[in-house]
Amino acid sequence: MKSGAGLHVGHPLGYTATDILARFKRMQGFNVLHPMGWDAFGLPAEQYAIDTGTHPKITTLRNISRFRSQLKSLGFSYDWDREISTTEPDYYKWTQWIFLQLLKRGLAYQAEVPVNWCPALGTVLANEEVIDGVSERGGHPVIRKPMRQWMLRITAYADRLLEDLDDLDWPESIKEMQRNWIGRSEGAELDFVVINGNSQEEEKRITVYTTRPDTIFGATYLVLAPEHPFLSSLVSEAQSKHVEEYREHAFRKSDLERTELQKEKTGVFTGCYAKNPANGQAVPIWVADYVLGSYGTGAIMAVPAHDTRDFEFAMKYTIPISWVVRPDDSNCGNFEKPYSGEGSMINSSYSESGLDINGLPSKEAASRVVQWLEKSGNGKKKVNYKLRDWLFARQRYWGEPIPVIFLDDTGEGIPVPETELPLTLPELDDFTPTGTGEPPLAKADSWVITKDPLSEKPARRETNTMPQWAGSCWYYLRFMDPKNSSALVDKAQEQYWGPVDVYVGGAEHAVLHLLYARFWHKPVQMLSTLQLIQMNQGFLLVLYDIDAVSTKEPFKCVINQGIILGEVQYTACKDDEGNLISADSVDELAEYKQERIPEEKVMKSGDLFVLKDNPNIRLIARAHKMSKSRGNVINPDDVVLEYGADSLRLYEMFMGPLRDSKTWNTSGIDGVHRFLARSWRLVVGSASPTGSYLDGTVTVDEKPSIEQLRSLHRCIDKVTEEIEGTRFNTGISAMMEFINAAYKWDKLPRSIIEAFVLLLSPYAPHMAEELWSRLGHSNSLAYEPFPKADTAYLKESTVVLPVQINGKTRGTIQVEETCTEEEAFRLASFDTKLSKFLDGKSIRKRIYVQGKILNIVIDMPKKAKVAQQ
C-alpha cells in the first residue's frame, strides 16, 4: 500500500468476483472463509513515507483505515474478525519463525552474489523488480554490485515445483510461465583446460554447460560472464585494462538488458586460450555480457555455426566458424547462416580423443558425447535450471527483522531463540537509506549491539530486513487461525480449511507470489471445505516438509482477473510549428508533439475518432493503466456516491469476462443502474410524485403460471452455471432477460420474486437485502438457500397450436403442451393477427383439444332482408 488516496475502480474487480463466489457458496450451505488482510511491509509503503517525511508505521495504519472503509462501503462479506496485517509483531513473529526453520534445514544461507543495487532507493532489488535497467518503482537507475546477501534455496525444490504443476487447476498460461521461469534443461557440463602462453596445459579448467553436447566439435571460442570468478586470473597483462573497463560497464546493466536478443553483442578477448577436449584445438576465451554468471556455470562454449547469438558475435570479431550439423532437409542449410536445428553430424571426428560422431543423428550424437565425457573424465550429464535461489534481504527499514545475530569475535551467525520472537523493529526517526549499502537499521545502535543469549558474548544483530514478499507468502494459512499465539496455525484448523479453493489475482503474481508461496508450502500439508482468498502468496513446500501443513500445494484453483484500464484518452499530433496533423499520416509518433483532446471535441467516424471541428484530423484513441501521472484514476467513492455500491459491483462484473482486460467508461454504469432501478420498481412499484415508495411490495400470494415458472427456472439455471464458471457478465444478462419477461406479467407471484431476489443478492447485496425485508423477512438473506433450477421447467415443451375462427384457420400461437383452454384462449386474444377477429365479438363457445387445436365460435351479425315491390 502506497498512499492515502485509497483504491481506484480497478481494485474492486477481483474483490467483487470473490465476494459473489463467497455469497453464492455460503447460500449453498458451504462454510466459507473469505478474509481480508494487509500486505504492508516493503518498498511502496517505505518510499511513500520517505517522500512525505512521515513514519511508515503511521502512513500504513492510516492507509489501512482508508482501504478498510472503502471495502466495507462496497459490501464485501469479509470475515473482519480474521483481519491481519503483515506489519504487526504478532503476525511477523511467525514469518521469522518460518525463516528459522529454513535456516535450520540449510534452505537459508548467506552468499556473496552480484545483485541489482539501486542507489536512489538504497536497496537491492529482485530481477523481477528491474525493468529495462531501472527500478520498477520510481524508474531509478540500477547497477550490478557484489554484496553478501541472505538467500533461500528455492532451487532445491525446482523439480517438485515443476512436477506438481500438472495436478493444479490453474490457467495453462500461468503454469507455462512458471515452467519457463524454473527453466529445466538437460545437457552436459564439460571441462576446457586453460592453455598458457607456451601452449602448455595448466591446472585450471573452465567448466561450461551446454544443452547441445552434440555440437562440441563446432565450439570455436569460449565466453565467460563478466562476474565469472576465474576471469581476473585468466586475463593477460595486455588485455587487463580492456577487460576491467568492460566489466565495469557490464555491471551497470540489468540481466534483461544483457540478454536482450536484439541488442548488438559486445565483448573483449581475455588474451587467454583453452583446449577443446574433443578436437584438441586451442580456442580463444572472451568475456561478454550476454553470458550471465547466475546461469549454468557462468561460461559457455560458443558454436557460431549453430547459434544465432554466437554467430553474430563471431562475425563481428572475426572468430572461426565450423559447421558440424547438416540439416536433414537440404533446403534448410546453406553454410552461410547459423542453423540451430537437429540433423546429421559432420566434421565431428578426432582419432586422438577417441570421439567419432560423424553421420549420427543429433540426439544420438549428444548421448554418445555425454558417454565419452564421463568415460574420459572431461565432463558429465547435467540437469540445469534458469531458476535462481531467492535473494532474501533488503537494505531497508520497513520490513521484518531477520532473527540472526553475529558474534563480534568470530563473525559466526547465531539464530535468535524462538522463545525471543518476535524480534521487533526499533523505532527510528531517520529511516532513510544510507546510500552506502549499509541498511538504515545500522543507525539503531542500542538495538544492533546485543549479546549471544547462550554464551553472552558480544554480538551485533543482522541489519538487513526481509524482502517485500516474505509476509505475503503464507498469510492464507494465518487466516485459518489468526489469533493463535502458540503456533503458526492449528493443525485441525489447517486440515479443515486448507488448501485454498479459489485464488483470484492478476497474472503479475505468476512467478512471484504464486511461486514463492508454493515453495514455502512444500515443506507443510492439508484437507478442505471452502476457502476463497483475494491476495498474494509464497512458501508452501517448506511448510509441508516440516509437517506444518497437510497439503503439497496451497491453491487448488487459480483465476487470473484482467485489469481495468482508464477511460479512453484522445490525443492529436502537432508538427514543429504547432499545426495539427492527422495521425494516419504520422510514421513515428515519438517525432511529433502530442496534445490531449477533450472528449466533447471528439466524434466517431466509422472505426476511427476525429476532431468534430475538422474531421480530416484523425486522433489517437488509447486506454492506459490507471495512474496518477496520467490523470485517469477513477475513485470508487465518487461512483458509489452517484450510483450506489451495487451499481459499481454490477458494472465491474458486466464489463466483460473476468479474465479479460476492460476499458472503464463511467457512462457505461447507466445501463446496470437502470437494470437495478427497473428491478426495484417491478417489486416495490412506482414512486409517488414526491419520490417516495410505499412499504412492502406489489407481489401477490398466488400460484405462478407455467410461463412464469419457466422464466424463473431458466434464469436460476443460467445464473447458477455462470457463477460456477465465473462468467459473471452473462449471469447478469440472464437476470436482465428475466426482468424484461416479468414486466409483461399481469401479476407477480411472491414465490417467483423471492427466488429472483435471492439470485440477485450475490451481485447486489444491498438492494437485495432491502427487497428481502420488504417481502416480509426479518432475517438477512445471506444464509438463505440459493434457488435450485427444476429441470421440469427447463424442457422445451411448447407446440404450435392452430386457431380457428368459426371453423376457418386464422393463425397459430405458441403454447405449452399442457396449456389449459383458458390460457390458450388468453394467448389467442393477445395475438396481433387473431385479435382483430375477436375484438368486440360475442363468443358462443370454444372447442379445445389440448395440444391440437383451438376453435372459437363467434356470433355472426345477421344480414338485413329488403322486400321488393
Side-chain angles (χ1 to χ4, degrees):
M1 53 185 56
K2 180 179 168 185
S3 74
L7 305 172
H8 62 63
V9 292
H11 292 115
L13 178 67
Y15 302 148
T16 305
T18 55
D19 193 57
I20 292 171
L21 284 171
R23 290 176 178 276
F24 172 67
K25 289 294 183 181
R26 205 177 283 123
M27 295 172 76
Q28 287 189 321
F30 286 87
N31 282 339
V32 178
L33 176 52
H34 188 212
M36 176 51 72
W38 316 101
D39 177 18
F41 268 140
L43 273 177
E46 182 166 353
Q47 197 59 42
Y48 177 74
I50 291 172
D51 293 343
T52 59
T54 312
H55 196 281
K57 184 175 182 178
I58 296 172
T59 58
T60 296
L61 291 174
R62 185 172 62 212
N63 293 345
I64 286 175
S65 177
R66 172 83 172 117
F67 291 147
R68 186 192 297 114
S69 67
Q70 287 184 295
L71 293 176
K72 287 186 174 182
S73 76
L74 293 171
F76 297 132
S77 58
Y78 296 129
D79 184 347
W80 289 105
D81 289 339
R82 295 177 182 268
E83 181 183 5
I84 57 176
S85 170
T86 60
T87 63
E88 293 300 322
D90 59 355
Y91 178 88
Y92 68 71
K93 165 186 177 179
W94 298 106
T95 309
Q96 293 172 334
W97 178 85
I98 294 172
F99 176 84
L100 292 179
Q101 310 317 304
L102 294 167
L103 187 61
K104 288 178 187 176
R105 288 155 180 81
L107 294 171
Y109 65 96
Q110 283 191 300
E112 186 88 10
V113 293
V115 297
N116 300 310
W117 171 251
C118 179
L121 295 177
T123 192
V124 170
L125 301 177
N127 287 335
E128 307 84 56
E129 297 172 312
V130 181
I131 299 175
D132 296 332
V134 298
S135 62
E136 181 183 28
R137 186 160 300 278
H140 304 293
V142 175
I143 61 173
R144 299 287 285 176
K145 177 179 179 179
M147 293 181 69
R148 191 158 186 81
Q149 296 287 306
W150 282 101
M151 310 290 291
L152 296 187
R153 210 179 300 275
I154 190 173
T155 51
Y157 286 87
D159 281 327
R160 286 172 64 183
L161 288 167
L162 266 179
E163 292 162 4
D164 292 344
L165 280 172
D166 295 337
D167 300 325
L168 296 176
D169 180 17
W170 290 19
E172 193 56 40
S173 60
I174 295 299
K175 293 200 282 188
E176 194 60 24
M177 287 173 71
Q178 289 210 1
R179 291 188 187 106
N180 292 336
W181 192 262
I182 295 168
R184 186 181 191 276
S185 63
E186 294 185 5
E189 277 187 354
L190 49 154
D191 296 333
F192 285 70
V193 177
V194 175
I195 300 173
N196 62 26
N198 298 320
S199 298
Q200 301 291 318
E201 294 185 7
E202 296 186 355
E203 292 186 2
K204 282 196 186 94
R205 292 181 171 227
I206 296 175
T207 301
V208 304
Y209 173 76
T210 178
T211 58
R212 291 292 301 271
D214 55 311
T215 63
I216 185 170
F217 283 94
T220 58
Y221 66 101
L222 300 184
V223 181
L224 271 58
E227 56 270 35
H228 195 286
F230 287 179
L231 182 58
S232 297
S233 64
L234 294 175
V235 180
S236 68
E237 186 176 344
Q239 290 295 103
S240 178
K241 180 181 178 182
H242 301 298
V243 170
E244 193 56 37
E245 287 176 352
Y246 184 82
R247 291 181 71 189
E248 289 179 7
H249 183 70
F251 289 156
R252 290 195 289 269
K253 298 180 182 180
S254 69
D255 287 356
L256 188 64
E257 286 179 295
R258 286 170 55 178
T259 55
E260 175 61 47
L261 293 177
Q262 274 68 46
K263 84 175 185 73
E264 183 182 2
K265 307 299 180 288
T266 61
V268 174
F269 177 44
T270 64
C272 189
Y273 292 82
K275 179 180 176 182
N276 185 324
N279 57 21
Q281 293 181 0
V283 296
I285 303 172
W286 287 70
V287 56
D289 62 8
Y290 72 82
V291 176
L292 300 178
S294 59
Y295 180 68
T297 63
I300 65 163
M301 66 175 202
V303 185
H306 305 290
D307 183 278
T308 301
R309 182 182 56 180
D310 296 345
F311 180 84
E312 293 173 355
F313 192 92
M315 292 295 290
K316 180 176 180 178
Y317 294 107
T318 321
I319 300 173
I321 299 173
S322 177
W323 274 264
V324 294
V325 181
R326 176 186 286 121
D328 293 330
D329 182 353
S330 58
N331 296 323
C332 292
N334 56 13
F335 294 150
E336 294 180 1
K337 294 181 179 179
Y339 171 69
S340 59
E342 296 183 352
S344 300
M345 307 311 300
I346 59 173
N347 303 323
S348 298
S349 175
Y350 186 56
S351 58
E352 291 189 25
S353 67
L355 180 60
D356 181 1
I357 54 175
N358 270 335
L360 294 180
S362 295
K363 286 185 178 178
E364 185 178 342
S367 179
R368 184 77 62 85
V369 170
V370 171
Q371 293 173 17
W372 174 80
L373 287 170
E374 292 179 339
K375 185 177 179 180
S376 64
N378 287 310
K380 61 184 179 181
K381 184 177 181 178
K382 178 71 174 178
V383 174
N384 208 358
Y385 302 90
K386 289 182 181 177
L387 181 68
R388 301 292 92 199
D389 280 344
W390 180 6
L391 196 155
F392 199 72
R394 294 290 185 272
Q395 291 66 49
R396 300 297 290 234
Y397 167 71
W398 194 236
E400 299 91 342
I402 295 175
V404 174
I405 62 173
F406 297 94
L407 299 180
D408 286 356
D409 57 355
T410 65
E412 179 187 359
I414 306 291
V416 171
E418 292 179 16
T419 54
E420 293 189 8
L421 299 181
L423 173 60
T424 57
L425 274 174
E427 291 292 334
L428 277 183
D429 293 329
D430 180 12
F431 46 83
T432 57
T434 61
T436 64
E438 186 81 356
L441 280 180
K443 303 174 185 177
D445 290 335
S446 60
W447 181 84
V448 173
I449 299 171
T450 185
K451 290 183 178 181
D452 174 17
L454 294 179
S455 66
E456 295 196 349
K457 291 182 177 180
R460 295 178 64 84
R461 296 193 188 280
E462 171 63 77
T463 53
N464 286 314
T465 52
M466 296 186 193
Q468 183 173 334
W469 314 116
S472 63
C473 282
W474 68 277
Y475 54 53
Y476 58 95
L477 291 170
R478 194 61 177 173
F479 281 136
M480 302 174 191
D481 193 15
K483 304 293 193 278
N484 195 328
S485 60
S486 59
L488 179 144
V489 59
D490 177 75
K491 284 198 171 186
Q493 292 290 326
E494 186 271 336
Q495 289 174 354
Y496 180 76
W497 287 113
V500 175
D501 290 272
V502 181
Y503 171 106
V504 177
E508 67 273 14
H509 297 320
V511 293
L512 294 177
H513 291 297
L514 284 173
L515 188 62
Y516 292 160
R518 294 182 63 224
F519 164 51
W520 272 30
H521 190 96
K522 290 295 181 190
V524 196
Q525 280 192 17
M526 294 195 174
L527 190 60
S528 94
T529 44
L530 188 82
Q531 187 187 157
L532 297 111
I533 301 278
Q534 170 68 35
M535 283 202 166
N536 320 322
Q537 331 302 341
F539 307 153
L540 207 40
L541 272 171
V542 177
L543 297 174
Y544 176 69
D545 285 355
I546 64 173
D547 197 31
V549 295
S550 60
T551 58
K552 290 191 297 182
E553 289 285 338
F555 317 115
K556 288 168 66 175
C557 173
V558 167
I559 297 172
N560 285 142
Q561 70 195 49
I563 62 172
I564 294 181
L565 302 171
E567 293 188 287
V568 174
Q569 295 180 341
Y570 305 95
T571 54
C573 296
K574 284 187 171 183
D575 60 21
D576 291 339
E577 296 177 0
N579 300 313
L580 290 173
I581 53 176
S582 184
D584 53 7
S585 63
V586 173
D587 293 327
E588 292 291 336
L589 291 176
E591 296 177 2
Y592 295 87
K593 297 176 182 178
Q594 294 187 24
E595 178 184 316
R596 283 276 300 275
I597 305 297
E599 188 175 2
E600 59 269 17
K601 294 185 178 181
V602 177
M603 72 176 187
K604 193 168 186 181
S605 175
D607 294 332
L608 307 176
F609 293 91
V610 297
L611 274 178
K612 279 183 181 178
D613 295 341
N614 186 356
N616 292 321
I617 300 297
R618 177 182 159 187
L619 305 175
I620 302 166
R622 187 174 298 165
H624 301 273
K625 192 172 181 179
M626 290 189 186
S627 68
K628 283 184 180 179
S629 61
R630 290 193 178 274
N632 63 349
V633 171
I634 305 294
N635 189 328
D637 296 355
D638 298 334
V639 179
V640 170
L641 186 63
E642 183 173 356
Y643 294 96
D646 286 348
S647 291
L648 175 60
R649 289 169 60 112
L650 236 66
Y651 178 59
E652 299 224 346
M653 294 297 97
F654 194 58
M655 290 174 73
L658 176 65
R659 294 159 178 79
D660 293 356
S661 292
K662 283 86 66 175
T663 301
W664 180 267
N665 182 359
T666 301
S667 62
I669 304 176
D670 290 334
V672 294
H673 188 64
R674 284 194 300 271
F675 160 68
L676 289 175
R678 292 188 74 219
S679 300
W680 174 266
R681 291 193 300 271
L682 177 75
V683 181
V684 175
S686 299
S688 69
T690 62
S692 62
Y693 292 89
L694 297 174
D695 293 337
T697 68
V698 296
T699 58
V700 295
D701 292 317
E702 292 186 8
K703 184 178 179 180
S705 68
I706 294 293
E707 177 192 352
Q708 290 171 329
L709 288 168
R710 284 180 63 81
S711 291
L712 172 66
H713 285 274
R714 283 173 179 163
C715 185
I716 293 171
D717 183 61
K718 185 66 173 175
V719 171
T720 301
E721 180 184 354
E722 300 308 84
I723 291 179
E724 292 278 15
T726 63
R727 297 180 293 270
F728 304 111
N729 55 321
T730 46
I732 296 171
S733 295
M735 290 187 284
M736 289 177 171
E737 291 174 8
F738 173 85
I739 289 297
N740 289 338
Y743 262 92
K744 298 175 183 177
W745 301 340
D746 293 333
K747 296 179 180 179
L748 298 175
R750 180 182 298 274
S751 60
I752 297 288
I753 296 304
E754 284 188 339
F756 170 73
V757 170
L758 293 174
L759 288 180
L760 181 64
S761 64
Y763 289 87
H766 302 89
M767 193 176 89
E769 287 283 6
E770 177 64 23
L771 290 175
W772 191 248
S773 175
R774 283 173 169 265
L775 285 163
H777 302 279
S778 57
N779 294 326
S780 168
L781 52 62
Y783 292 94
E784 290 293 322
F786 198 79
K788 292 183 179 180
D790 188 335
T791 55
Y793 297 112
L794 303 179
K795 296 175 183 177
E796 290 295 335
S797 56
T798 59
V799 296
V800 177
L801 187 74
V803 179
Q804 294 182 341
I805 309 294
N806 289 346
K808 187 173 183 178
T809 301
R810 296 294 188 178
T812 61
I813 55 175
Q814 191 98 5
V815 299
E816 301 286 336
E817 285 181 348
T818 57
C819 181
T820 64
E821 178 182 332
E822 194 62 40
E823 180 69 7
F825 178 73
R826 189 182 71 83
L827 291 172
S829 301
F830 283 109
D831 184 85
T832 305
K833 188 176 181 180
L834 294 170
S835 61
K836 65 182 180 180
F837 295 102
L838 301 174
D839 288 348
K841 303 296 191 299
S842 174
I843 310 298
R844 185 186 305 174
K845 67 175 180 177
R846 300 188 302 233
I847 302 169
Y848 179 62
V849 180
Q850 193 176 66
K852 300 294 184 182
I853 195 167
L854 170 65
N855 186 11
I856 304 170
V857 181
I858 62 176
D859 288 329
M860 298 297 291
K862 293 181 180 181
K863 294 181 179 179
K865 293 183 180 180
V866 179
Q868 290 184 337
Q869 296 292 328

